[in-house]
Structures are given as C-alpha cells and as structure tokens.
Short mmCIF file of all heavy atoms in Angstrom, two decimals:
data_model
loop_
_atom_site.label_atom_id
_atom_site.label_comp_id
_atom_site.label_asym_id
_atom_site.label_seq_id
_atom_site.Cartn_x
_atom_site.Cartn_y
_atom_site.Cartn_z
N MET A 930 0.85 -1.20 0.00
CA MET A 930 0.00 0.00 0.00
C MET A 930 0.88 1.25 0.00
O MET A 930 1.81 1.38 0.79
CB MET A 930 -0.89 -0.03 1.25
CG MET A 930 -1.82 1.15 1.34
SD MET A 930 -2.94 0.94 2.74
CE MET A 930 -2.32 2.18 3.87
N LEU A 931 0.60 2.13 -0.90
CA LEU A 931 1.36 3.37 -0.98
C LEU A 931 0.85 4.35 0.07
O LEU A 931 -0.35 4.59 0.17
CB LEU A 931 1.17 3.99 -2.37
CG LEU A 931 2.26 3.65 -3.40
CD1 LEU A 931 1.88 4.20 -4.75
CD2 LEU A 931 3.60 4.24 -2.98
N ALA A 932 1.77 4.88 0.83
CA ALA A 932 1.37 5.88 1.82
C ALA A 932 1.08 7.19 1.10
O ALA A 932 1.93 7.74 0.42
CB ALA A 932 2.47 6.06 2.84
N ARG A 933 -0.15 7.64 1.26
CA ARG A 933 -0.51 8.91 0.64
C ARG A 933 0.02 10.04 1.52
O ARG A 933 -0.13 9.97 2.73
CB ARG A 933 -2.03 9.02 0.52
CG ARG A 933 -2.44 9.77 -0.74
CD ARG A 933 -3.92 9.59 -0.96
NE ARG A 933 -4.68 10.05 0.21
CZ ARG A 933 -5.85 10.65 0.13
NH1 ARG A 933 -6.39 10.84 -1.03
NH2 ARG A 933 -6.50 11.02 1.21
N GLU A 934 0.65 11.01 0.93
CA GLU A 934 1.12 12.11 1.76
C GLU A 934 -0.07 12.83 2.36
O GLU A 934 -1.16 12.80 1.80
CB GLU A 934 1.98 13.07 0.95
CG GLU A 934 1.22 13.80 -0.12
CD GLU A 934 2.14 14.78 -0.85
OE1 GLU A 934 2.59 15.73 -0.21
OE2 GLU A 934 2.39 14.58 -2.04
N THR A 935 0.16 13.44 3.48
CA THR A 935 -0.93 14.11 4.17
C THR A 935 -1.52 15.19 3.28
O THR A 935 -0.85 16.16 2.95
CB THR A 935 -0.45 14.74 5.49
OG1 THR A 935 0.29 13.75 6.20
CG2 THR A 935 -1.62 15.20 6.32
N ALA A 936 -2.75 14.97 2.88
CA ALA A 936 -3.35 15.88 1.91
C ALA A 936 -4.07 17.03 2.61
O ALA A 936 -4.54 17.94 1.95
CB ALA A 936 -4.33 15.11 1.03
N PHE A 937 -4.13 16.97 3.93
CA PHE A 937 -4.92 17.97 4.63
C PHE A 937 -4.11 18.69 5.70
O PHE A 937 -3.33 18.08 6.42
CB PHE A 937 -6.14 17.32 5.29
CG PHE A 937 -7.08 16.73 4.27
CD1 PHE A 937 -6.93 15.41 3.87
CD2 PHE A 937 -8.07 17.50 3.70
CE1 PHE A 937 -7.78 14.87 2.92
CE2 PHE A 937 -8.91 16.96 2.75
CZ PHE A 937 -8.77 15.64 2.36
N ALA A 938 -4.30 19.97 5.75
CA ALA A 938 -3.66 20.78 6.77
C ALA A 938 -4.68 21.04 7.87
O ALA A 938 -5.88 21.04 7.63
CB ALA A 938 -3.18 22.10 6.17
N ARG A 939 -4.17 21.25 9.07
CA ARG A 939 -5.06 21.56 10.19
C ARG A 939 -4.81 22.98 10.64
O ARG A 939 -3.66 23.41 10.73
CB ARG A 939 -4.79 20.60 11.36
CG ARG A 939 -5.07 19.16 11.02
CD ARG A 939 -6.54 18.91 10.88
NE ARG A 939 -6.80 17.59 10.31
CZ ARG A 939 -6.86 16.47 11.02
NH1 ARG A 939 -6.69 16.53 12.31
NH2 ARG A 939 -7.12 15.33 10.45
N ARG A 940 -5.91 23.67 10.91
CA ARG A 940 -5.78 25.03 11.42
C ARG A 940 -6.67 25.18 12.63
O ARG A 940 -7.87 24.90 12.57
CB ARG A 940 -6.19 26.04 10.33
CG ARG A 940 -6.06 27.48 10.79
CD ARG A 940 -6.46 28.44 9.70
NE ARG A 940 -7.84 28.22 9.30
CZ ARG A 940 -8.37 28.66 8.16
NH1 ARG A 940 -7.61 29.29 7.30
NH2 ARG A 940 -9.62 28.44 7.89
N GLU A 941 -6.06 25.60 13.72
CA GLU A 941 -6.84 25.76 14.94
C GLU A 941 -7.45 27.14 14.97
O GLU A 941 -6.77 28.15 14.74
CB GLU A 941 -5.94 25.54 16.15
CG GLU A 941 -6.74 25.07 17.34
CD GLU A 941 -5.86 24.75 18.54
OE1 GLU A 941 -4.71 24.33 18.34
OE2 GLU A 941 -6.33 24.95 19.67
N ASN A 942 -8.72 27.20 15.23
CA ASN A 942 -9.42 28.47 15.30
C ASN A 942 -9.43 29.00 16.72
O ASN A 942 -9.19 28.27 17.68
CB ASN A 942 -10.85 28.30 14.79
CG ASN A 942 -10.87 27.88 13.34
OD1 ASN A 942 -10.24 28.48 12.48
ND2 ASN A 942 -11.59 26.79 13.05
N ARG A 943 -9.76 30.26 16.83
CA ARG A 943 -9.75 30.90 18.15
C ARG A 943 -10.81 30.32 19.08
O ARG A 943 -10.67 30.36 20.29
CB ARG A 943 -10.01 32.40 17.99
CG ARG A 943 -8.73 33.17 17.86
CD ARG A 943 -9.01 34.63 17.83
NE ARG A 943 -8.16 35.29 16.86
CZ ARG A 943 -8.03 36.60 16.77
NH1 ARG A 943 -8.72 37.37 17.56
NH2 ARG A 943 -7.24 37.14 15.89
N ASP A 944 -11.87 29.80 18.49
CA ASP A 944 -12.93 29.24 19.33
C ASP A 944 -12.66 27.79 19.72
O ASP A 944 -13.50 27.14 20.31
CB ASP A 944 -14.29 29.38 18.63
CG ASP A 944 -14.34 28.61 17.32
OD1 ASP A 944 -13.32 27.98 16.95
OD2 ASP A 944 -15.39 28.64 16.66
N GLY A 945 -11.47 27.29 19.38
CA GLY A 945 -11.12 25.95 19.80
C GLY A 945 -11.43 24.87 18.78
O GLY A 945 -11.04 23.73 18.95
N THR A 946 -12.16 25.26 17.72
CA THR A 946 -12.43 24.29 16.67
C THR A 946 -11.21 24.17 15.75
O THR A 946 -10.35 25.04 15.74
CB THR A 946 -13.67 24.68 15.83
OG1 THR A 946 -13.42 25.98 15.27
CG2 THR A 946 -14.92 24.72 16.67
N ILE A 947 -11.19 23.09 15.00
CA ILE A 947 -10.06 22.86 14.09
C ILE A 947 -10.61 22.71 12.67
O ILE A 947 -11.57 21.96 12.44
CB ILE A 947 -9.28 21.60 14.50
CG1 ILE A 947 -8.72 21.78 15.92
CG2 ILE A 947 -8.16 21.31 13.51
CD1 ILE A 947 -8.27 20.48 16.56
N ASP A 948 -9.99 23.44 11.76
CA ASP A 948 -10.35 23.31 10.36
C ASP A 948 -9.45 22.27 9.71
O ASP A 948 -8.25 22.24 9.97
CB ASP A 948 -10.13 24.63 9.61
CG ASP A 948 -11.17 25.68 9.96
OD1 ASP A 948 -12.23 25.30 10.47
OD2 ASP A 948 -10.91 26.86 9.72
N ALA A 949 -10.03 21.45 8.87
CA ALA A 949 -9.25 20.56 8.02
C ALA A 949 -9.28 21.15 6.62
O ALA A 949 -10.36 21.35 6.06
CB ALA A 949 -9.84 19.15 8.03
N ILE A 950 -8.12 21.46 6.10
CA ILE A 950 -8.03 22.14 4.81
C ILE A 950 -7.31 21.25 3.81
O ILE A 950 -6.21 20.76 4.08
CB ILE A 950 -7.29 23.48 4.95
CG1 ILE A 950 -8.01 24.37 5.95
CG2 ILE A 950 -7.15 24.18 3.60
CD1 ILE A 950 -7.11 25.36 6.64
N CYS A 951 -7.94 21.07 2.66
CA CYS A 951 -7.33 20.27 1.61
C CYS A 951 -6.15 21.04 1.03
O CYS A 951 -6.28 22.19 0.63
CB CYS A 951 -8.36 19.97 0.52
SG CYS A 951 -7.66 19.04 -0.85
N ARG A 952 -4.99 20.40 1.00
CA ARG A 952 -3.80 21.05 0.48
C ARG A 952 -3.81 21.12 -1.05
O ARG A 952 -3.01 21.84 -1.64
CB ARG A 952 -2.54 20.27 0.89
CG ARG A 952 -2.19 20.36 2.34
CD ARG A 952 -0.86 19.67 2.55
NE ARG A 952 -0.66 19.27 3.93
CZ ARG A 952 -0.05 20.03 4.82
NH1 ARG A 952 0.36 21.21 4.50
NH2 ARG A 952 0.10 19.59 6.04
N THR A 953 -4.68 20.36 -1.65
CA THR A 953 -4.70 20.32 -3.10
C THR A 953 -5.59 21.41 -3.67
O THR A 953 -5.20 22.13 -4.59
CB THR A 953 -5.19 18.94 -3.57
OG1 THR A 953 -4.40 17.95 -2.94
CG2 THR A 953 -5.07 18.82 -5.09
N CYS A 954 -6.79 21.57 -3.09
CA CYS A 954 -7.71 22.56 -3.66
C CYS A 954 -7.99 23.71 -2.68
O CYS A 954 -8.74 24.61 -3.00
CB CYS A 954 -9.02 21.89 -4.09
SG CYS A 954 -9.98 21.21 -2.73
N PHE A 955 -7.37 23.66 -1.50
CA PHE A 955 -7.44 24.75 -0.51
C PHE A 955 -8.85 25.02 -0.01
O PHE A 955 -9.19 26.14 0.36
CB PHE A 955 -6.83 26.03 -1.08
CG PHE A 955 -5.42 25.84 -1.57
CD1 PHE A 955 -5.14 25.82 -2.91
CD2 PHE A 955 -4.40 25.63 -0.67
CE1 PHE A 955 -3.85 25.61 -3.37
CE2 PHE A 955 -3.10 25.42 -1.10
CZ PHE A 955 -2.82 25.42 -2.46
N VAL A 956 -9.66 23.98 0.00
CA VAL A 956 -11.00 24.10 0.52
C VAL A 956 -11.02 23.58 1.95
O VAL A 956 -10.35 22.60 2.28
CB VAL A 956 -11.98 23.29 -0.36
CG1 VAL A 956 -13.26 22.93 0.38
CG2 VAL A 956 -12.31 24.07 -1.62
N THR A 957 -11.73 24.28 2.82
CA THR A 957 -11.94 23.77 4.18
C THR A 957 -12.97 22.66 4.10
O THR A 957 -14.13 22.91 3.80
CB THR A 957 -12.42 24.89 5.11
OG1 THR A 957 -11.47 25.95 5.09
CG2 THR A 957 -12.58 24.38 6.53
N VAL A 958 -12.53 21.45 4.35
CA VAL A 958 -13.43 20.31 4.17
C VAL A 958 -14.26 20.04 5.42
O VAL A 958 -15.31 19.41 5.34
CB VAL A 958 -12.65 19.04 3.77
CG1 VAL A 958 -11.91 19.26 2.47
CG2 VAL A 958 -11.70 18.61 4.86
N GLY A 959 -13.78 20.54 6.56
CA GLY A 959 -14.55 20.31 7.77
C GLY A 959 -14.03 21.13 8.92
O GLY A 959 -12.87 21.53 8.94
N THR A 960 -14.91 21.44 9.86
CA THR A 960 -14.53 22.16 11.06
C THR A 960 -15.11 21.42 12.25
O THR A 960 -16.31 21.16 12.29
CB THR A 960 -15.06 23.60 11.03
OG1 THR A 960 -14.59 24.24 9.85
CG2 THR A 960 -14.59 24.38 12.24
N SER A 961 -14.27 21.06 13.20
CA SER A 961 -14.75 20.32 14.35
C SER A 961 -13.75 20.37 15.49
O SER A 961 -12.60 20.75 15.29
CB SER A 961 -15.00 18.86 13.95
OG SER A 961 -15.48 18.14 15.06
N VAL A 962 -14.18 20.02 16.66
CA VAL A 962 -13.25 19.87 17.77
C VAL A 962 -12.82 18.40 17.86
O VAL A 962 -11.93 18.06 18.61
CB VAL A 962 -13.87 20.31 19.12
CG1 VAL A 962 -14.07 21.81 19.13
CG2 VAL A 962 -15.16 19.58 19.39
N TRP A 963 -13.49 17.55 17.09
CA TRP A 963 -13.24 16.12 17.17
C TRP A 963 -12.37 15.64 16.01
O TRP A 963 -12.71 15.83 14.85
CB TRP A 963 -14.55 15.33 17.18
CG TRP A 963 -15.46 15.76 18.26
CD1 TRP A 963 -16.60 16.49 18.12
CD2 TRP A 963 -15.32 15.51 19.66
NE1 TRP A 963 -17.17 16.70 19.34
CE2 TRP A 963 -16.41 16.12 20.31
CE3 TRP A 963 -14.36 14.82 20.42
CZ2 TRP A 963 -16.57 16.06 21.69
CZ3 TRP A 963 -14.52 14.76 21.80
CH2 TRP A 963 -15.62 15.38 22.42
N GLU A 964 -11.27 15.01 16.36
CA GLU A 964 -10.36 14.46 15.38
C GLU A 964 -11.08 13.48 14.44
O GLU A 964 -10.88 13.49 13.23
CB GLU A 964 -9.22 13.75 16.12
CG GLU A 964 -8.26 13.01 15.24
CD GLU A 964 -7.45 13.95 14.35
OE1 GLU A 964 -7.14 15.07 14.79
OE2 GLU A 964 -7.15 13.57 13.22
N ALA A 965 -11.95 12.66 15.03
CA ALA A 965 -12.64 11.64 14.23
C ALA A 965 -13.54 12.29 13.18
O ALA A 965 -13.68 11.78 12.07
CB ALA A 965 -13.46 10.73 15.14
N GLU A 966 -14.14 13.41 13.57
CA GLU A 966 -15.03 14.08 12.63
C GLU A 966 -14.24 14.71 11.48
O GLU A 966 -14.67 14.70 10.34
CB GLU A 966 -15.82 15.16 13.37
CG GLU A 966 -17.30 15.14 13.03
CD GLU A 966 -18.08 16.00 14.00
OE1 GLU A 966 -18.49 15.47 15.05
OE2 GLU A 966 -18.24 17.18 13.71
N LEU A 967 -13.08 15.25 11.82
CA LEU A 967 -12.21 15.82 10.80
C LEU A 967 -11.76 14.73 9.84
O LEU A 967 -11.76 14.91 8.62
CB LEU A 967 -11.00 16.48 11.45
CG LEU A 967 -11.29 17.74 12.27
CD1 LEU A 967 -10.03 18.18 13.00
CD2 LEU A 967 -11.80 18.85 11.38
N ALA A 968 -11.38 13.60 10.41
CA ALA A 968 -10.91 12.48 9.60
C ALA A 968 -12.01 12.02 8.65
O ALA A 968 -11.75 11.69 7.49
CB ALA A 968 -10.46 11.33 10.49
N ARG A 969 -13.23 12.03 9.14
CA ARG A 969 -14.35 11.59 8.30
C ARG A 969 -14.59 12.59 7.17
O ARG A 969 -14.82 12.22 6.02
CB ARG A 969 -15.62 11.44 9.15
CG ARG A 969 -16.68 10.61 8.44
CD ARG A 969 -17.92 10.49 9.29
NE ARG A 969 -18.38 11.80 9.73
CZ ARG A 969 -19.28 12.00 10.69
NH1 ARG A 969 -19.79 10.96 11.31
NH2 ARG A 969 -19.66 13.20 11.02
N ALA A 970 -14.52 13.88 7.51
CA ALA A 970 -14.71 14.91 6.50
C ALA A 970 -13.63 14.82 5.43
O ALA A 970 -13.90 14.96 4.24
CB ALA A 970 -14.70 16.29 7.15
N GLU A 971 -12.41 14.53 5.88
CA GLU A 971 -11.29 14.41 4.94
C GLU A 971 -11.49 13.21 4.03
O GLU A 971 -11.21 13.25 2.85
CB GLU A 971 -9.98 14.27 5.72
CG GLU A 971 -9.60 15.56 6.44
CD GLU A 971 -8.44 15.37 7.41
OE1 GLU A 971 -7.96 14.23 7.55
OE2 GLU A 971 -8.04 16.37 8.03
N LYS A 972 -11.99 12.14 4.62
CA LYS A 972 -12.20 10.92 3.85
C LYS A 972 -13.28 11.13 2.78
O LYS A 972 -13.20 10.59 1.68
CB LYS A 972 -12.63 9.80 4.80
CG LYS A 972 -12.13 8.43 4.38
CD LYS A 972 -12.48 7.41 5.44
CE LYS A 972 -12.87 6.10 4.78
NZ LYS A 972 -13.52 5.18 5.72
N ASN A 973 -14.27 11.92 3.14
CA ASN A 973 -15.39 12.13 2.22
C ASN A 973 -15.09 13.19 1.16
O ASN A 973 -15.84 13.33 0.20
CB ASN A 973 -16.64 12.57 3.00
CG ASN A 973 -17.20 11.43 3.81
OD1 ASN A 973 -16.98 10.26 3.51
ND2 ASN A 973 -17.93 11.76 4.87
N HIS A 974 -14.01 13.92 1.36
CA HIS A 974 -13.72 15.02 0.46
C HIS A 974 -13.18 14.53 -0.88
O HIS A 974 -12.34 13.65 -0.94
CB HIS A 974 -12.71 15.97 1.09
CG HIS A 974 -12.21 17.01 0.15
ND1 HIS A 974 -12.99 18.04 -0.32
CD2 HIS A 974 -11.00 17.16 -0.46
CE1 HIS A 974 -12.28 18.78 -1.14
NE2 HIS A 974 -11.07 18.26 -1.26
N ALA A 975 -13.70 15.12 -1.93
CA ALA A 975 -13.13 14.92 -3.25
C ALA A 975 -12.91 16.29 -3.85
O ALA A 975 -13.80 17.14 -3.81
CB ALA A 975 -14.07 14.09 -4.12
N CYS A 976 -11.73 16.51 -4.38
CA CYS A 976 -11.42 17.82 -4.92
C CYS A 976 -12.31 18.12 -6.13
O CYS A 976 -12.61 17.24 -6.92
CB CYS A 976 -9.96 17.88 -5.35
SG CYS A 976 -8.81 17.70 -3.99
N ASP A 977 -12.71 19.37 -6.22
CA ASP A 977 -13.52 19.82 -7.34
C ASP A 977 -12.59 20.06 -8.54
O ASP A 977 -11.70 20.89 -8.47
CB ASP A 977 -14.21 21.12 -6.94
CG ASP A 977 -15.10 21.66 -8.04
OD1 ASP A 977 -15.03 21.15 -9.17
OD2 ASP A 977 -15.86 22.60 -7.77
N PRO A 978 -12.77 19.31 -9.61
CA PRO A 978 -11.87 19.42 -10.76
C PRO A 978 -11.81 20.84 -11.31
O PRO A 978 -10.75 21.30 -11.75
CB PRO A 978 -12.48 18.48 -11.80
CG PRO A 978 -13.33 17.54 -11.02
CD PRO A 978 -13.82 18.30 -9.83
N ALA A 979 -12.93 21.54 -11.28
CA ALA A 979 -12.95 22.92 -11.80
C ALA A 979 -12.07 23.82 -10.94
O ALA A 979 -11.36 24.69 -11.45
CB ALA A 979 -14.38 23.43 -11.82
N LEU A 980 -12.12 23.58 -9.64
CA LEU A 980 -11.31 24.38 -8.72
C LEU A 980 -9.83 24.07 -8.93
O LEU A 980 -8.99 24.97 -8.95
CB LEU A 980 -11.73 24.04 -7.29
CG LEU A 980 -11.44 25.08 -6.22
CD1 LEU A 980 -12.09 26.40 -6.56
CD2 LEU A 980 -11.97 24.58 -4.88
N LEU A 981 -9.52 22.79 -9.10
CA LEU A 981 -8.13 22.39 -9.33
C LEU A 981 -7.58 23.05 -10.58
O LEU A 981 -6.45 23.50 -10.62
CB LEU A 981 -8.04 20.87 -9.46
CG LEU A 981 -8.23 20.09 -8.17
CD1 LEU A 981 -8.11 18.61 -8.46
CD2 LEU A 981 -7.22 20.51 -7.13
N GLU A 982 -8.43 23.10 -11.60
CA GLU A 982 -8.00 23.69 -12.85
C GLU A 982 -7.67 25.16 -12.65
O GLU A 982 -6.72 25.69 -13.21
CB GLU A 982 -9.10 23.51 -13.89
CG GLU A 982 -8.57 23.52 -15.31
CD GLU A 982 -9.71 23.52 -16.31
OE1 GLU A 982 -10.52 22.58 -16.27
OE2 GLU A 982 -9.79 24.48 -17.09
N ARG A 983 -8.51 25.81 -11.83
CA ARG A 983 -8.29 27.22 -11.56
C ARG A 983 -6.95 27.42 -10.85
O ARG A 983 -6.19 28.31 -11.19
CB ARG A 983 -9.44 27.76 -10.69
CG ARG A 983 -9.66 29.24 -10.89
CD ARG A 983 -10.85 29.70 -10.09
NE ARG A 983 -10.42 30.40 -8.90
CZ ARG A 983 -11.16 30.56 -7.81
NH1 ARG A 983 -12.36 30.06 -7.77
NH2 ARG A 983 -10.71 31.23 -6.79
N TRP A 984 -6.68 26.59 -9.85
CA TRP A 984 -5.41 26.71 -9.12
C TRP A 984 -4.24 26.44 -10.04
O TRP A 984 -3.21 27.10 -9.96
CB TRP A 984 -5.38 25.75 -7.93
CG TRP A 984 -6.29 26.15 -6.83
CD1 TRP A 984 -7.29 25.39 -6.29
CD2 TRP A 984 -6.32 27.39 -6.10
NE1 TRP A 984 -7.93 26.08 -5.30
CE2 TRP A 984 -7.35 27.31 -5.16
CE3 TRP A 984 -5.57 28.56 -6.18
CZ2 TRP A 984 -7.65 28.34 -4.28
CZ3 TRP A 984 -5.86 29.60 -5.32
CH2 TRP A 984 -6.89 29.48 -4.38
N ASN A 985 -4.40 25.43 -10.89
CA ASN A 985 -3.32 25.10 -11.81
C ASN A 985 -3.01 26.28 -12.72
O ASN A 985 -1.87 26.56 -13.04
CB ASN A 985 -3.71 23.89 -12.66
CG ASN A 985 -3.54 22.60 -11.87
OD1 ASN A 985 -2.79 22.54 -10.91
ND2 ASN A 985 -4.26 21.56 -12.28
N ARG A 986 -4.09 26.93 -13.16
CA ARG A 986 -3.90 28.07 -14.04
C ARG A 986 -3.19 29.21 -13.31
O ARG A 986 -2.31 29.86 -13.84
CB ARG A 986 -5.26 28.55 -14.56
CG ARG A 986 -5.18 28.94 -16.02
CD ARG A 986 -6.55 29.28 -16.56
NE ARG A 986 -7.41 28.08 -16.59
CZ ARG A 986 -8.73 28.13 -16.56
NH1 ARG A 986 -9.36 29.29 -16.48
NH2 ARG A 986 -9.44 27.04 -16.61
N LEU A 987 -3.60 29.44 -12.06
CA LEU A 987 -2.95 30.48 -11.26
C LEU A 987 -1.48 30.15 -11.04
O LEU A 987 -0.62 31.01 -11.14
CB LEU A 987 -3.65 30.59 -9.90
CG LEU A 987 -4.94 31.41 -9.87
CD1 LEU A 987 -5.55 31.34 -8.47
CD2 LEU A 987 -4.66 32.85 -10.25
N ALA A 988 -1.20 28.88 -10.75
CA ALA A 988 0.18 28.45 -10.50
C ALA A 988 1.01 28.64 -11.76
O ALA A 988 2.16 29.07 -11.70
CB ALA A 988 0.21 27.00 -10.05
N ALA A 989 0.43 28.32 -12.89
CA ALA A 989 1.14 28.46 -14.15
C ALA A 989 1.47 29.93 -14.40
O ALA A 989 2.56 30.27 -14.85
CB ALA A 989 0.30 27.90 -15.29
N ARG A 990 0.49 30.78 -14.10
CA ARG A 990 0.71 32.20 -14.32
C ARG A 990 1.82 32.72 -13.41
O ARG A 990 2.65 33.51 -13.80
CB ARG A 990 -0.59 32.97 -14.05
CG ARG A 990 -0.59 34.32 -14.73
CD ARG A 990 -1.77 35.16 -14.30
NE ARG A 990 -3.03 34.44 -14.51
CZ ARG A 990 -4.16 34.80 -13.90
NH1 ARG A 990 -4.17 35.83 -13.09
NH2 ARG A 990 -5.27 34.15 -14.12
N LYS A 991 1.81 32.23 -12.15
CA LYS A 991 2.81 32.67 -11.19
C LYS A 991 4.21 32.28 -11.64
O LYS A 991 5.16 33.05 -11.50
CB LYS A 991 2.52 32.02 -9.82
CG LYS A 991 2.24 33.07 -8.76
CD LYS A 991 2.00 32.37 -7.44
CE LYS A 991 0.64 32.73 -6.87
NZ LYS A 991 0.25 31.86 -5.78
N SER A 992 4.34 31.07 -12.20
CA SER A 992 5.66 30.60 -12.59
C SER A 992 6.17 31.39 -13.80
O SER A 992 7.37 31.47 -14.03
CB SER A 992 5.62 29.11 -12.91
OG SER A 992 4.90 28.87 -14.09
N ILE A 993 5.26 31.97 -14.55
CA ILE A 993 5.68 32.76 -15.70
C ILE A 993 6.16 34.14 -15.24
O ILE A 993 7.21 34.62 -15.64
CB ILE A 993 4.51 32.92 -16.71
CG1 ILE A 993 4.24 31.56 -17.37
CG2 ILE A 993 4.85 33.95 -17.79
CD1 ILE A 993 2.93 31.51 -18.13
N THR A 994 5.37 34.75 -14.37
CA THR A 994 5.71 36.12 -13.96
C THR A 994 6.76 36.14 -12.84
O THR A 994 7.37 37.15 -12.61
CB THR A 994 4.46 36.86 -13.46
OG1 THR A 994 3.88 36.10 -12.41
CG2 THR A 994 3.46 37.05 -14.58
N GLY A 995 6.93 35.00 -12.15
CA GLY A 995 7.89 34.94 -11.06
C GLY A 995 7.31 35.54 -9.80
O GLY A 995 6.18 36.06 -9.81
N PRO A 996 8.07 35.48 -8.71
CA PRO A 996 7.56 36.01 -7.45
C PRO A 996 7.36 37.53 -7.54
O PRO A 996 8.17 38.23 -8.13
CB PRO A 996 8.66 35.65 -6.43
CG PRO A 996 9.88 35.37 -7.25
CD PRO A 996 9.41 34.94 -8.62
N GLN A 997 6.28 37.96 -6.94
CA GLN A 997 5.98 39.39 -7.01
C GLN A 997 6.75 40.16 -5.94
O GLN A 997 6.84 39.72 -4.81
CB GLN A 997 4.48 39.63 -6.84
CG GLN A 997 3.73 39.18 -8.08
CD GLN A 997 2.25 39.43 -7.93
OE1 GLN A 997 1.78 39.70 -6.83
NE2 GLN A 997 1.52 39.34 -9.01
N GLN A 998 7.28 41.27 -6.31
CA GLN A 998 7.97 42.11 -5.34
C GLN A 998 6.96 43.01 -4.66
O GLN A 998 6.05 43.52 -5.31
CB GLN A 998 9.00 42.99 -6.07
CG GLN A 998 10.05 42.21 -6.84
CD GLN A 998 10.94 41.37 -5.90
OE1 GLN A 998 11.24 41.80 -4.80
NE2 GLN A 998 11.30 40.19 -6.33
N PRO A 999 7.12 43.19 -3.37
CA PRO A 999 6.19 44.06 -2.64
C PRO A 999 6.36 45.55 -3.03
O PRO A 999 7.42 45.93 -3.44
CB PRO A 999 6.54 43.85 -1.17
CG PRO A 999 7.90 43.24 -1.16
CD PRO A 999 8.14 42.59 -2.50
ZN1 ZN B 24 -9.47 19.04 -2.25
#
C-alpha cells in the first residue's frame, strides 16, 4: 500500500475548533473539535476538478511572472 502524503492541513481556530483544509484545492473540508469528525470529513472530500484547474492556471501564471515584489 502506498502511503498517501498528508493531503490535509489543520488550522486551529480561536474558538477551539479545528479546520481541516485540503492542500490540493485549498477548501476547508470540515470544522470540528473532534479528530474523528475531521478524519471523516477528509475521507469524504473529493477535490472539485474545476477548482483544481483554476489553481493550476494560477500556479502556471505565477511561474511565468515569477515572485511578485512588494
Ligand atoms: Zn481538495
């Protein structure tokens, strides 16, 4: 079995809840104080192909123009 790299980031909110964020499409897939609930939300998540395409396009544009100077 291939170990899938962790596809989800966790972000703790001020109210004590934790967001599970998909690293691929940057969507918050679930918010909970329970690890099990986050895991379930992550398991049920499927990236939106349209959203992925949008990110890919943005990434492509960024690589062309290079990092922006402030
Ligand atoms: Zn996703």
Side-chain angles (χ1 to χ4, degrees):
M930 181 174 109
L931 265 173
R933 214 168 57 144
E934 66 178 295
T935 311
F937 296 91
R939 298 289 169 85
R940 181 180 60 197
E941 206 176 329
N942 297 309
R943 268 185 220 192
D944 62 359
T946 58
I947 299 164
D948 287 341
I950 301 153
C951 178
R952 288 186 202 268
T953 307
C954 65
F955 305 107
V956 158
T957 303
V958 300
T960 304
S961 180
V962 291
W963 305 107
E964 174 66 34
E966 226 167 271
L967 292 172
R969 197 181 52 194
E971 291 170 358
K972 213 174 142 194
N973 289 337
H974 171 70
C976 296
D977 181 350
L980 203 57
L981 288 180
E982 205 187 302
R983 207 176 104 202
W984 289 123
N985 282 337
R986 220 174 294 155
L987 279 176
R990 201 188 305 162
K991 241 181 238 167
S992 70
I993 290 167
T994 56
Q997 288 181 347
Q998 301 296 324

